[in-house]
Amino acid sequence: MPVSRKCSFCGGSIDPGSGLMFVKRDGSISFFCSSKCERNFRLGRKPRRVKWTERSRRMRGKA
């Protein structure tokens, strides 16, 4: 049974068969719904400071 996952950056859902999986050298795994999320993660941006992310919206009380 395919598993639906959450994006490590924005917190959105990732459908089975889509998205990106990034594995660091220390063995930690990150899942991304789009290249936009992956680039923001690699640039070192914090999801709670980027206004369009689901995590930021929850923190501000918008979702």
Side-chain angles (χ1 to χ4, degrees), residues 7-42:
C7 179
S8 297
F9 187 75
C10 71
S13 64
I14 304 171
D15 295 327
S18 64
L20 304 161
M21 182 173 80
F22 180 67
V23 182
K24 291 185 182 179
R25 289 183 185 164
D26 63 359
S28 61
I29 301 171
S30 300
F31 295 96
F32 301 106
C33 60
S34 64
S35 59
K36 178 181 178 180
C37 289
E38 183 186 14
R39 280 179 278 157
N40 279 295
F41 178 79
R42 288 189 184 208

